[in-house]
Amino acid sequence: MGLEREESVGDLLREESYASPPYRSTSLNHTRMQGMVRQKAYIFDGYGNYYNKEWDLEEGVEKEFCWYHVELPKTNHKLSASAQCLIDVLCPPLKLQDILALVSNGPFCAHVDGALVFRVNSHGPPSSNYTFRLAARITENSVITVSLGRVPRLGFSPVGQSLLSEIPSVESPSYQDGSRKEGTRTVIKEHVLEFLLTMNHSEEADNPVPRSVSNLVVHIIDTHVDHLQDVVTELEIELDSVELELDKGGFTLKKQMLDDRRFHKMRLNLQRLLQVIAHGEQVFPRVKEKCSSKLWFTTEDINSLEELIGRLRRLKENVGFIANRVTAIQAGLDSWQSEQINKKLYYLSFLSIIFLPLSVVTGVFGMNVGGVPWTGQPDPKLKNGFRNVMFLCLLMVVILLLCFLFPVLHTGLKAWRRRRAIKRSWSLNRKSFLKRTIGIQERRAYLRI
C-alpha cells in the first residue's frame, strides 16, 4: 500500500510538471510581486561592527554571524504568492518545510530541520495597517527573517546626525521644507512633528549593533513590539481627535460618523491588533524557553525577552482600554441617534393625533346615507353646512392643542408663582434687615448674629 501511494504521488507530480503552463496573468502578477520584494543582508563581526554583504544565504564563521531579511510588499495578494516569492529568494538552501513554516498564518514556534523557527503572522488583508507578519529562522551563526512591509527601526544604517538630538524651533509660515536651520535651532514642520509623536523608539542610526545572535533576536522582537506600540499610539491620537470633534461638532458631524461606520471599523482594527498581541503572548514565551537551553544565548538576552513579554502584556491591557473607549463613544452615538428617532416619532404621533379626529369628522360627513346633518345642499337653510363643519374641525384642533399645552402651561405657572414667592420673601427679609441695621446704628450698638 505504501509503495502504491508513493507511485501515485510521483505520477501526480510528473503530470503537474508536464501540464500546460499557468495563465499569463498569474505569471505576470508573480513577476510583478517578485520585483517588489526587498532584500537586506548584513554580516556582523561580533565586536560591534556590521557590513553589508551579498545575498548568498551563507552562515558566519566563528564569531561572525549573518542576517538575511526579506520584506514582502503590503499589497493584496494570496498567501501562495508570498510562498512563491520566498521560494525564489530562499531556495536553496531552505526546503519547502522551512518556507511553509515561515509564510503560514497563525502563531508557531518549533525546531524545523535543526533550526529554531517562530512566526507571529496574523490573518487579514496584507494591505491593512493592522495586519502584521513576522517570521524568523534562527541558527547559531545566521538569522533569516521575513516581514510584511517595512518594520520601523528593524534595519541598520550608518551613524549620522539625528533629528532627535537637535534643538527644535516653532514653525513659521516662511518655511516650506520639512525642517530648516534657524541660527542654532531646527525648524520642524507640523506633519513631521505629528509623525515623531507616534514614534516610541529612536531612529535606525541609533540602533546598537548586536554582538551575538541572541542580541539580534532580541532586537528583532523589540522592533516588532515597538511597531505594535506605534500603531496603538496612532489609534489613541486618532481617538482623542475624534472625541474633540464630537465635543465641537453638531448634528451633521455625528450623522456623518454614523453613516461612515467609523467606530465599527475601528473596533474591527482593534480586534485584529489584539489577535496579533495574543499571537506574541503565545510565541515569545516559547521562544524564551527554547533559547534558554542554547549555549550561545546569553542570560542578559533571556531577561530582555522577559521584559519584552511584559511590555506585550501591558500593551494588551492598553488596547483593551482603547476598545472600551471606542465602545463608550459608539454607545453615546447610538443613544443620540435613538433620541433623534424618538423626536421624529413624537412629531409624527403628534400630527397623527391631530389629524385622526379630523379624519373621523370628514369620514362621518362623507357617508352616502340619509340623515347626515348639513348635507342637504338644495335646502337654502343648510347652505352654511361646510362652514359649520370647518368650525367643528377647528374647535377639535384647539381642544387637542390645549390638551397638549396644558401640562406645559401648568408647569410654567407653578414656576412663575414660586419665583414670585421667593422674590417677595427676599424683599421682606431685606426690608426687615435694613430696619434692624438702621435701628442698631442709631443706638450705636453691635449687630447680633
Side-chain angles (χ1 to χ4, degrees):
M1 292 294 292
L3 293 175
E4 292 177 359
R5 184 171 181 178
E6 288 180 0
E7 290 177 359
S8 62
V9 172
D11 295 338
L12 180 61
L13 291 175
R14 282 193 294 272
E15 289 177 2
E16 289 181 354
S17 63
Y18 291 116
S20 59
Y23 291 105
R24 186 177 180 183
S25 60
T26 306
S27 61
L28 288 176
N29 291 334
H30 172 61
T31 305
R32 189 182 299 111
M33 183 178 173
Q34 186 179 3
M36 298 173 64
V37 174
R38 299 181 61 184
Q39 306 173 22
K40 295 180 182 179
Y42 302 99
I43 183 170
F44 303 87
D45 60 0
Y47 297 100
N49 300 315
Y50 76 96
Y51 310 95
N52 295 323
K53 70 183 299 292
E54 296 180 355
W55 190 269
D56 51 11
L57 297 176
E58 293 182 356
E59 296 192 358
V61 181
E62 295 181 354
K63 286 190 175 183
E64 293 182 350
F65 57 97
C66 303
W67 179 27
Y68 304 94
H69 178 64
V70 181
E71 184 179 309
L72 299 175
K74 287 186 72 67
T75 57
N76 288 328
H77 56 268
K78 295 182 179 179
L79 206 59
S80 58
S82 301
Q84 289 178 2
C85 291
L86 291 185
I87 289 173
D88 294 336
V89 173
L90 301 176
C91 295
L94 267 63
K95 301 177 182 178
L96 182 58
Q97 59 181 353
D98 299 318
I99 300 298
L100 295 179
L102 291 173
V103 80
S104 299
N105 285 330
F108 178 80
C109 180
H111 285 91
V112 178
D113 198 15
L116 176 61
V117 178
F118 73 87
R119 68 169 184 263
V120 283
N121 297 345
S122 63
H123 300 270
S127 60
S128 174
N129 293 329
Y130 300 91
T131 301
F132 297 84
R133 293 175 185 172
L134 180 67
R137 181 181 183 273
I138 306 167
T139 60
E140 187 175 357
N141 294 102
S142 71
V143 176
I144 298 175
T145 55
V146 180
S147 69
L148 180 63
R150 179 181 176 273
V151 180
R153 203 176 63 90
L154 182 62
F156 296 92
S157 60
V159 178
Q161 190 173 8
S162 175
L163 185 64
L164 301 178
S165 60
E166 297 290 339
I167 301 176
S169 177
V170 179
E171 176 192 3
S172 60
S174 61
Y175 293 103
Q176 302 294 332
D177 299 336
S179 59
R180 290 190 179 182
K181 291 285 185 179
E182 182 183 329
T184 59
R185 298 189 296 174
T186 302
V187 179
I188 302 176
K189 292 184 72 67
E190 184 178 358
H191 70 277
V192 179
L193 189 59
E194 289 180 356
F195 171 74
L196 294 175
L197 286 173
T198 61
M199 292 175 56
N200 295 277
H201 48 76
S202 57
E203 298 174 343
E204 287 189 355
D206 301 325
N207 288 338
V209 179
R211 296 175 178 268
S212 62
V213 174
S214 60
N215 292 152
L216 182 57
V217 172
V218 171
H219 168 72
I220 293 169
I221 298 177
D222 187 18
T223 53
H224 174 70
V225 177
D226 282 342
H227 193 191
L228 294 177
Q229 183 68 48
D230 290 346
V231 175
V232 173
T233 305
E234 240 180 272
L235 270 174
E236 288 180 335
I237 294 176
E238 181 183 359
L239 195 59
D240 292 340
S241 63
V242 167
E243 289 179 349
L244 186 61
E245 289 177 1
L246 284 176
D247 292 339
K248 293 182 178 179
F251 178 86
T252 306
L253 180 63
K254 294 179 180 179
K255 185 75 167 54
Q256 183 180 0
M257 286 187 177
L258 287 171
D259 293 340
D260 295 342
R261 299 178 62 86
R262 185 171 183 178
F263 294 102
H264 293 283
K265 298 176 183 177
M266 195 176 292
R267 290 175 65 181
L268 180 60
N269 294 331
L270 285 171
Q271 293 303 317
R272 290 177 179 171
L273 197 58
L274 283 173
Q275 186 184 33
V276 178
I277 297 175
H279 289 346
E281 282 188 330
Q282 296 176 24
V283 171
F284 294 150
R286 295 178 62 186
V287 172
K288 187 196 77 169
E289 180 183 353
K290 292 182 180 298
C291 289
S292 60
S293 61
K294 307 290 184 182
L295 297 177
W296 43 268
F297 212 93
T298 61
T299 307
E300 292 81 3
D301 293 327
I302 292 175
N303 296 332
S304 300
L305 285 178
E306 185 64 33
E307 293 178 0
L308 291 174
I309 294 169
R311 278 186 58 193
L312 205 61
R313 290 169 181 166
R314 291 190 295 272
L315 190 62
K316 184 178 180 180
E317 295 178 357
N318 195 10
V319 173
F321 294 149
I322 296 175
N324 292 335
R325 287 177 62 187
V326 172
T327 304
I329 296 175
Q330 181 64 44
L333 283 178
D334 292 339
S335 175
W336 174 82
Q337 188 180 25
S338 62
E339 288 178 0
Q340 298 299 317
I341 294 174
N342 291 334
K343 286 182 180 179
K344 294 178 180 178
L345 292 176
Y346 174 76
Y347 295 144
L348 289 176
S349 61
F350 180 77
L351 291 176
S352 63
I353 288 175
I354 290 178
F355 285 100
L356 183 60
L358 300 181
S359 63
V360 172
V361 172
T362 55
V364 169
F365 284 95
M367 290 188 296
N368 295 323
V369 294
V372 180
W374 304 330
T375 56
Q377 296 298 332
D379 189 356
K381 296 180 180 179
L382 302 176
K383 61 181 180 179
N384 295 327
F386 178 75
R387 185 185 62 184
N388 296 335
V389 172
M390 290 295 101
F391 282 155
L392 180 61
C393 293
L394 182 61
L395 179 62
M396 294 183 67
V397 171
V398 172
I399 293 173
L400 289 173
L401 289 177
L402 288 176
C403 291
F404 275 100
L405 294 176
F406 178 75
V408 179
L409 295 175
H410 180 68
T411 306
L413 183 61
K414 287 180 64 177
W416 176 76
R417 287 181 177 178
R418 191 183 301 111
R419 288 195 301 269
R420 185 179 177 185
I422 293 174
K423 186 176 180 182
R424 185 176 179 182
S425 63
W426 181 81
S427 61
L428 291 175
N429 293 334
R430 185 171 179 273
K431 289 180 180 179
S432 62
F433 177 77
L434 291 175
K435 288 180 179 180
R436 285 182 291 169
T437 306
I438 293 172
I440 292 172
Q441 288 179 355
E442 290 178 356
R443 294 193 299 269
R444 295 181 181 180
Y446 292 101
L447 176 63
R448 177 177 293 180
I449 299 176

